[in-house]
Amino acid sequence: MAPVSKWCVVTNAPVPDLEGLAHSADLGDLRVYHRGPEGVRLPENPPFVIDAATLTPHSRGGSASTMLIEPDTVTVRVSALNEDPVYYAVNRMKGLFAYFTDLLLAPLVLPALALPVRFAGGSPGHEGGTLLAGVERLRHGTVSRTRRLDGHWLTDAGDEPDVLADFRAPHLDDPLAAGEAQLAALTAEIERIDAATPEGTSYATLLSGGIDSGTVTWLASRAGLSVAPYSVATPWGDELDDAAELCAELGIDLEPVHLTEDEIVGSIPEAVRWLGVADAEVVEVALTATTVQRLGAVPAERVLLTGYGSDLINAGLYRPFDHRDDLIEQVLAAVDRTRRSNELSHRMPLAYGTTVHHPFWSWPVMKVALETAPECKVRDGREKHHLRTAMSSRVSESIAWRKKIAVHHGGGLQDGVARRLEKETGTPDRQALYLACFAELLDRAAQGELDPGDPWQLFERAVRRVRTG
């Protein structure tokens, strides 16, 4: 199934180029352009709330990022985790503004605000930076309100206290107790997901040989969910045997997914499109999930559960450290970076009409992990010591304590992609290719083509951009 991007724009300026692409509503001096899930329409009258993750309207807000639409007022509240971005652009001289949920809308939205569309450079270095000048990504914990008062539009913004600031003195110092607490939180999150899902829904997991996806798969199966594990093999390595070992213990079949080099490299333009960033590591981390989604390797009717996010909160990507405070800061910094990377957002699943959940990246689970002391997470040179300790009573020792060869986090896949791209472009600078893909996508968007299109045409045009400078 070809993806169709979903998005929402709230502005005080008419955007003619969006009229044929979305449902639109004039609400006083505000205009809303909305392309949401099939069958979802905006309420006829404000006030109403649009969830930035699902793009569905609600009568009230929650903990997710939301846009509250009232007569002559829009209030955007960004969640503490900031998975699903909301962008903001303003022309203060003309009193024009727009909030929008997809960076690739900028070539259509900015001209309506009498603003140019210009690159900002490579990797944005500050909290609200994007690849486009004049477009800000609202930061985590921000509440931004724009309202009409006495004939003028006024914007005020404030930041709520950052929840990460409360976790610089973690107190769970027993590995088994900390691991059991995290498993309990994960179980509750999986049960919450299942309770909110239509009865009879089947599930899938992306199962590697690591403890993260293995834990999610084990908990989902033991919770009685109808779950099918899928394991990815690439030309640069696989963990099919390791994944099959857990499946044998659970008594369920493993579904192998064999991806070719061309299939993975051909997913680069689409990964850049849904991320809206060009940072090399972020794009490459997203390639496996993007390829699986793009090829329809997991049936669309299955709700997908992943182990993504565990490496961040459980020190799975730690660097050697001399003091416990160093690892605490590493974990908090990793979580903070991911709040800006878009790699755990709902943009790609929305476009394909699929449902994906990352149980480790839910606040109750994260809270337990961030309260866990570094010496529980890393011990005797092994990462995720607490999680492995707790799982040891549930699975065999070889599964609980196996050293993971990462497929989706660097390792062989990233090295293989790097070699291929250097051969294609003539430069080891992979980010140059990802930036060129973004530029190609931006050119398409300016013509009203907001969806990825032919991947190899985009890839080859991006390669030419890099080779010609």
Side-chain angles (χ1 to χ4, degrees):
M1 180 184 70
V4 177
S5 59
K6 311 295 194 301
W7 36 265
C8 184
V9 180
V10 184
T11 179
N12 65 343
V15 187
D17 290 333
L18 294 181
E19 290 289 350
L21 301 175
H23 169 66
S24 61
D26 289 342
L27 307 174
D29 290 316
L30 283 177
R31 296 170 184 262
V32 180
Y33 300 89
H34 178 263
R35 188 158 83 175
E38 186 176 356
V40 174
R41 293 291 182 266
L42 296 176
E44 293 185 3
N45 299 305
F48 55 86
V49 174
I50 298 175
D51 187 309
T54 64
L55 296 181
T56 54
H58 300 284
S59 58
R60 62 167 67 183
S63 60
S65 298
T66 57
M67 294 187 286
L68 168 62
I69 314 297
E70 301 175 278
D72 296 333
T73 303
V74 55
T75 304
V76 179
R77 182 179 298 274
V78 181
S79 77
L81 300 184
N82 198 11
E83 307 97 322
D84 300 291
V86 177
Y87 301 98
Y88 177 68
V90 59
N91 183 333
R92 291 183 174 83
M93 293 292 291
K94 293 183 176 291
L96 302 176
F97 72 90
Y99 294 95
F100 50 106
T101 61
D102 187 337
L103 187 59
L104 264 294
L105 292 172
L108 305 178
V109 171
L110 294 182
L113 306 181
L115 294 173
V117 181
R118 294 185 292 108
F119 271 102
S123 298
H126 59 92
E127 180 72 36
T130 72
L131 290 172
L132 297 177
V135 180
E136 173 191 359
R137 175 182 174 154
L138 297 184
R139 56 178 275 132
H140 58 83
T142 288
V143 179
S144 179
R145 182 178 66 161
T146 302
R147 58 196 175 106
R148 188 169 179 82
L149 184 66
D150 297 332
H152 300 282
W153 289 94
L154 304 176
T155 297
D156 56 86
D159 291 334
E160 297 174 340
D162 189 356
V163 294
L164 294 189
D166 297 331
F167 296 97
R168 287 193 160 81
H171 61 274
L172 297 178
D173 56 7
D174 178 81
L176 179 58
E180 290 290 348
Q182 188 166 139
L183 293 183
L186 279 167
T187 299
E189 175 62 14
I190 290 170
E191 290 174 346
R192 183 200 66 79
I193 291 168
D194 191 43
T197 302
E199 188 175 352
T201 297
S202 56
Y203 292 82
T205 62
L206 287 182
L207 178 61
S208 67
I211 193 65
D212 311 319
S213 59
T215 295
V216 170
T217 301
W218 193 93
L219 292 174
S221 179
R222 285 295 185 258
L225 276 61
S226 173
V227 58
Y230 291 75
S231 189
V232 173
T234 78
W236 310 290
D238 66 68
E239 299 171 273
L240 297 181
D241 290 342
D242 295 341
E245 185 180 355
L246 175 62
C247 290
E249 290 195 12
L250 289 170
I252 55 180
D253 294 329
L254 178 69
E255 302 285 346
V257 178
H258 295 272
L259 301 181
T260 68
E261 180 176 319
D262 275 355
E263 286 170 339
I264 294 168
V265 171
S267 294
I268 289 173
E270 194 157 324
V272 172
R273 194 266 171 267
W274 304 125
L275 290 166
V277 303
D279 302 76
E281 183 175 353
V282 173
V283 173
E284 288 149 14
V285 164
L287 281 180
T288 299
T290 303
T291 309
V292 167
Q293 179 75 84
R294 185 172 69 88
L295 300 179
V298 176
E301 66 270 14
R302 288 189 178 272
V303 172
L304 182 61
L305 306 176
T306 82
Y308 295 170
S310 176
D311 279 336
L312 305 167
I313 62 177
N314 288 316
L317 299 173
Y318 77 97
R319 301 186 303 273
F321 63 97
D322 297 321
H323 192 276
R324 72 192 308 267
D325 289 348
D326 295 338
L327 186 59
I328 293 170
E329 291 301 324
Q330 285 182 37
V331 169
L332 295 178
V335 172
D336 183 51
R337 284 194 304 273
T338 305
R339 295 192 290 193
R340 290 172 275 151
S341 70
N342 299 342
E343 62 191 273
L344 297 178
S345 80
H346 296 79
R347 291 292 153 258
M348 183 170 63
L350 267 179
Y352 280 95
T354 58
T355 303
V356 180
H357 296 282
H358 312 293
F360 280 101
W361 192 257
S362 63
W363 185 241
V365 178
M366 296 176 73
K367 186 173 183 292
V368 173
L370 297 176
E371 289 174 344
T372 300
E375 53 271 23
C376 292
K377 295 180 177 180
V378 179
R379 183 173 294 190
D380 300 326
R382 294 306 309 274
E383 85 291 356
K384 304 170 192 170
H385 180 89
H386 60 306
L387 194 55
R388 298 179 190 279
T389 299
M391 284 298 292
S392 292
S393 64
R394 295 165 171 83
V395 298
S396 64
E397 182 177 355
S398 61
I399 293 173
W401 294 97
R402 179 182 294 123
K403 288 188 176 180
K404 181 179 179 184
I405 303 172
V407 172
H408 64 281
H409 269 304
L413 186 147
Q414 282 185 290
D415 290 342
V417 169
R419 289 193 297 271
R420 170 68 178 269
L421 295 189
E422 184 170 2
K423 180 180 177 181
E424 294 275 357
T425 64
T427 174
D429 181 8
R430 310 191 303 281
Q431 183 166 298
L433 187 278
Y434 304 148
L435 283 168
C437 283
F438 184 83
E440 287 294 329
L441 290 161
L442 205 65
D443 287 349
R444 281 176 53 84
Q447 304 304 314
E449 299 290 339
L450 296 172
D451 303 318
D454 184 302
W456 285 108
Q457 183 183 67
L458 282 165
F459 180 82
E460 290 164 3
R461 293 177 70 162
V463 168
R464 286 197 294 271
R465 276 183 184 258
V466 175
R467 284 191 171 275
T468 59

